[in-house]
Amino acid sequence: MDEYYSHDGALDKYAALAEEGLFDQEKTVVDRYFTGDGASVLDLGCGAGRTTQALVSRGFDVVGVDVSEPMIRKSSSLFPDLEVRVGDATDLSFETSTFDYVLFSFNGLDDITPETGRYAALAEIRRVLKPGGTFAFSSRNSLYYTLLRARPFSPGTWVELANFWAKNRSTKNALSNYKSDDHEFGSGDAYYSTPLHQKRQLINCDYEPVDVIKKEDSFSVYTDPWPYYVAKTL
């Protein structure tokens, strides 16, 4: 996915999104669980600064981190006053128990490969959170992407689903949590899970699952393309 986040088209896309601020699910997360004026927030996968700027405007003390140097340069050009830096979620450069909250938005955690890296990131996030701190993130729902995105009266969605499975059979990812998919500015592997699987993963990584937040127009968290998960450190 490094190629994707360095592509000029992706940089322009994320720059345009930066003006939108928090998405609806993120607003729900922050309103319910990120409380306390001036609380410290680590904004992982901050991209071009969309979530970082929005959190700062709400009065939080925010540090934005992204593995993509081009994205950090874009963020700094759009929002010169933000504190943003290049960093790796699997090896964070912060002291233990630094932050009240961590946000990893827009499925950024899913782009970490291999799976040992995902577990390393979850461990690092837990380390830099204060005791009882809150971690919120979104993750691709495999129930949606591997089945439910095909619509009964939309032939194009059935073609997309067939191509998705054909690609993953060819890459031998059909039975893996990591699936290959084509994107607007490239292709790559990303992690797919179900809400039940994700809750179990959090528990196994010493988190306490607190909530799963869906889009308003989704029937349930099991049909949402990428639910937001909220967990606390034990």
Side-chain angles (χ1 to χ4, degrees), residues 14-199:
Y14 277 74
L17 284 174
E19 301 299 331
E20 296 187 14
L22 298 177
F23 297 152
D24 288 342
Q25 287 163 287
E26 293 160 353
K27 290 177 183 176
T28 300
V29 168
V30 173
D31 289 343
R32 288 183 187 175
Y33 299 106
F34 287 25
T35 58
D37 189 42
S40 55
V41 181
L42 173 59
D43 185 21
L44 283 174
C46 66
R50 176 182 65 84
T51 47
T52 315
Q53 172 63 20
L55 290 167
V56 168
S57 70
R58 286 174 172 245
F60 294 105
D61 181 14
V62 188
V63 179
V65 172
D66 200 286
V67 72
S68 168
E69 186 174 349
M71 279 291 179
I72 290 297
R73 288 199 300 267
K74 178 65 72 173
S75 176
S76 296
S77 68
L78 292 171
F79 307 108
D81 294 333
L82 293 184
E83 183 180 352
V84 293
R85 64 183 72 171
V86 176
D88 186 345
T90 68
D91 186 19
L92 295 169
S93 60
F94 301 101
E95 297 293 328
T96 298
S97 302
T98 298
F99 297 99
D100 297 297
Y101 309 110
V102 175
L103 177 66
F104 208 151
S105 63
F106 222 178
N107 310 322
L109 181 63
D110 294 344
D111 293 335
I112 298 174
T113 58
E115 193 165 14
T116 52
R118 183 182 183 88
Y119 281 97
L122 289 169
E124 276 292 87
I125 291 164
R126 188 182 72 248
R127 181 184 66 79
V128 301
L129 275 168
K130 296 176 181 177
T134 300
F135 173 39
F137 66 102
S138 63
S139 183
R140 294 172 177 86
N141 180 5
S142 63
L143 294 174
Y144 175 85
Y145 282 99
T146 63
L147 179 63
L148 298 175
R149 67 173 169 178
R151 309 288 177 165
F153 303 105
S154 178
T157 62
W158 288 91
V159 172
E160 288 177 3
L161 183 60
N163 290 339
F164 176 84
W165 278 113
K167 185 178 184 68
N168 281 282
R169 283 194 297 271
S170 69
T171 58
K172 299 182 179 180
N173 281 349
L175 299 180
S176 170
N177 283 115
Y178 283 93
K179 298 287 191 292
S180 302
D181 206 358
D182 293 325
H183 304 283
E184 189 177 1
F185 307 109
S187 63
D189 292 352
Y191 196 86
Y192 292 75
S193 65
T194 66
L196 181 59
H197 172 88
Q198 190 55 72
K199 286 182 181 179

